[in-house]
Amino acid sequence: MLKKNTLLFLFLIGFQLVAQQPQKPNAAEIYNQIQKLNFLGSVLYIAAHPDDENTRLISYLSNENKARTGYLSLTRGDGGQNLIGPELRELLGVIRTQELIEARKIDGGEQFFTRANDFGYSKTPDETLEIWNKNEVLSDVVWAIRKFQPDVIINRFDHRSPGTTHGHHTASAMLSLEAFEKVNDANAYPEQLKLVSTWQPKRVFFNTSWWFYGSREKFDKADKSNLAQLQTGVYYASIGKSNQEIAALSRSRHQSQGFGSTGARGEENEYLEFLKGDRLQDKNTIFEGIDTTWNRVKNGKTIGAILSTVQKNFDYNNPSASITELVKAYDLIQKLEDNHWKTIKSEEIKKIIAACTGLYLEAVANTQEAISGTEVDLKVETINRSAVEMQLISIALPNATVPFEAKKLEFNKAVTYEFEVILPENTDFTAPYWLNQKGTDGMYRVDNQENIGKPDVIRTQNATFLIAINGVTIPFERTIIYKYNDDVKGEVYQPFDIVPVVTSSIAEKVYIFNSDKPKNIAVSVKAGDNNSNGTVKLEVPQNWSVSPKEMPFSIAKKGQEEQVNFAVTPSKSASEVTLKSSITLDGKTYHKEKIDINYGHISKQMVLKPSEAKAIKLDIKTKNEKIAYIMGAGDEVPKSLTQMGYDVTIIKPEEISSEKLVNFDVVITGIRAYNVVNALAFKQAILLDFVKNGKTMIVQYNTTDDMVTKDFSPYPLKISRDRVTEEDAEVRFLAPDHKVLNYPNKITLNDFKGWKQEQGLYYPSEWDKNFTAILSANDKGEKAKNGALVVAKYGKGNYIYTGLSFFRELPEGVSGAYRLLANMIAIGN
């Protein structure tokens, strides 16, 4: 049956992930869902970052205990490094958010956040809480607990050990314990109580292990009388995986941080130290004294009895045999007075009913991107793959009436419909909601209290299917998606996004002007609709000039781009300015750049940012060195080098040879290159001969993880975890007369002003006497760190190792970082 209607397509709030293929659980997975439906207990795990969570414990609590298990990550991991691409800061936070969401799909947990911004490594919780705004983050933790209503809270980190680990880590535990005392206090954050109720968890634990004791031997000897012990080395015969194997698959979603994990098997224990609340008598269950049956809910006893029967009589060969009783239970759940459990269990049982009947419901747009006010074709598919009798009563698009005749869904017969929908004017663009407004260094800004903590982009494009089964009408909501067939990948799912009419992007994020000559700056304009005609401007400050003042563009088809070019002339004196592109179309002005993040292990993401670039009139002298760049974990340093005027060639590691390098003056290795590029183990001798023969090699930071070769340096050099996290820490010159500080640019302390996030990381702590240490700095209260930049003569050439964070500073347009790097490159002249 085919219908076409023109409708007004309005939206409701929702945040389902839609980019991955829909779940199609098998009988074993359905049975696990039924067991969880019959368990009314919950646990909230709390830590600071993506990848901090213990996936073994989350999987065990969710899949073995059947508890509703959440992970509250205080940040989205914006301050980390990126092993899979060049994205840093908020773009990296978007990636790591999605990695957490994918991890929870595997281990069975749920994901939540606060507004805290991961501003980078912090050595103390005091510093962390000052930059974060302690009161706001504590408010968010209280909000998360009041919404989730956990019976038990588990902290990943120890609140009693400031200074021994990342300040964010300790702060997360401190905030958790303070929140534990406040969540049941009506005077604490009373504005929240318009939306949630006070709540009191039963107890809170610290998820300790031998690592926190210093060694396995010390842990074995420790008093464990205050520890609960959970035997988490479970084997799930129905799916053929151990708990540890599930946990490893979950943890391996953290690809941007390099946390691929190999699954284990056999006995394994997790230890939980009791901190506050009701003390345990039975150390093998954290739910002691908590009624986790349906009896904890008024009028829930009958529901529990029905679901126990469903669980007992479940037919793996015919899951639909349980539908009659499941529908009875669903109907009774709708009559519960307890809105918390009513909401949770309604969603759980609807998923089970759909899974047991093979009920497939999908609404697919004919385009991946659309703009508000335009028409979109929508294809809807419904199919009942069971003998259960059911009727499709209606397909409701938000706030729209769809002319519809009830349709019986016969066994295994697909019913499809097509609709033309008109998107309303002024629909919000699809983008990470926490990036919509400018925040602070430590906090994202989210004004709507109900949105705080939501993990994903808020997608509001939904279709609701009303299905009648055994006289009970059940609404099934599906988020509108887009999908297509790829010749290699097959069926590919992507989100359906609302985009601006037009976006623009400036070709580079930083432009370096080392003379008064103008530079050509390209601006790309991308159309969100057909027949887009308008003008584009590149806005510059008064002491800079641009020609022409504006340029016309005409783009015939949606999704196409057109490039226009402007000549920008800098100011006479040194200055740093922001360039902004703006588009005028049909009397409206648009200033956004559209950034797509598309990696295979996560949902495709769209981020909208102001279309800007930094332009720097810089007092810098450079030579004409030719540079060979060997990429490591991923950075944008080569782009910055090109901006400086260097001839840069990115060389694949396997292509390194004496003949290939003969025409270059300098080799630079990207960040973590000796951690991630295995080919360097076999090419290092060639690189060191390159130096020995009179050339220069610059090695950017590597971590203390296994390195592909111990001979990355011509002389002994020991990498440590030393770092200077205070970007404004005082810098001292240990070798003020050294060439690297004087030629071709005179480096002064002013060159270390305005650095972002950190000065550097993973400095060498020991080095051979052939090295000269150039700089010294330290965070407050610490000893001097002298390994930020070390230089050695080797043969006729120069070898330089640096932990300075050029990979952050150059894309941020930090003038001093450019000047110092130019000197490092010129050291052989």
Side-chain angles (χ1 to χ4, degrees), residues 380-440:
V380 173
E381 178 184 353
T382 63
I383 185 169
N384 168 25
R385 291 173 287 184
S386 74
V388 175
E389 290 191 7
M390 62 178 71
Q391 270 195 322
L392 174 61
I393 304 299
S394 67
I395 302 173
L397 301 177
N399 297 327
T401 301
V402 182
F404 197 87
E405 295 178 5
K407 171 72 176 180
K408 181 179 179 180
L409 295 181
E410 299 180 11
F411 171 66
N412 212 30
K413 290 186 178 180
V415 180
T416 60
Y417 300 87
E418 291 185 4
F419 300 103
E420 294 172 350
V421 297
I422 299 176
L423 307 177
E425 298 287 348
N426 302 318
T427 301
D428 289 340
F429 303 132
T430 307
Y433 70 89
W434 60 94
L435 299 179
N436 286 342
Q437 301 179 81
K438 184 175 178 60
T440 65

Side-chain angles (χ1 to χ4, degrees), residues 161-205:
S161 56
T164 62
T165 182
H166 198 320
H168 297 184
H169 293 168
T170 310
S172 71
M174 295 168 64
L175 290 168
S176 172
L177 284 177
E178 192 168 346
F180 183 82
E181 301 294 338
K182 290 183 178 294
V183 290
N184 203 30
D185 181 358
N187 295 316
Y189 309 108
E191 68 281 358
Q192 296 180 3
L193 301 181
K194 298 175 183 178
L195 301 167
V196 293
S197 302
T198 57
W199 178 253
Q200 186 57 60
K202 194 77 167 178
R203 53 186 64 96
V204 59
F205 296 98

Side-chain angles (χ1 to χ4, degrees), residues 502-504 523-527 536 553 555 560-562 564 583:
V502 65
T503 55
S504 63
V523 177
S524 293
V525 181
K526 186 173 184 179
V536 56
F553 68 88
I555 303 177
Q560 290 185 339
E561 293 187 53
E562 182 176 312
V564 295
I583 307 293

Side-chain angles (χ1 to χ4, degrees), residues 510-514 544 573-577 614-622 640 644 745-756 805-806 808-823:
V510 178
Y511 289 89
I512 301 298
F513 292 79
N514 54 6
W544 291 55
S573 59
S575 62
E576 296 183 8
V577 301
K614 180 178 281 190
I616 305 172
K617 174 62 184 303
L618 186 59
D619 178 16
I620 185 173
K621 299 180 181 67
T622 58
S640 299
M644 294 168 74
N745 304 285
K746 178 66 175 177
I747 302 301
T748 72
L749 295 181
N750 285 331
D751 288 303
F752 292 92
K753 292 181 179 179
W755 283 52
K756 306 296 183 182
S805 58
F806 288 107
R808 292 196 192 280
E809 311 312 321
L810 299 179
E812 291 284 351
V814 176
S815 301
Y818 281 91
R819 285 166 45 83
L820 179 57
L821 184 58
N823 282 16

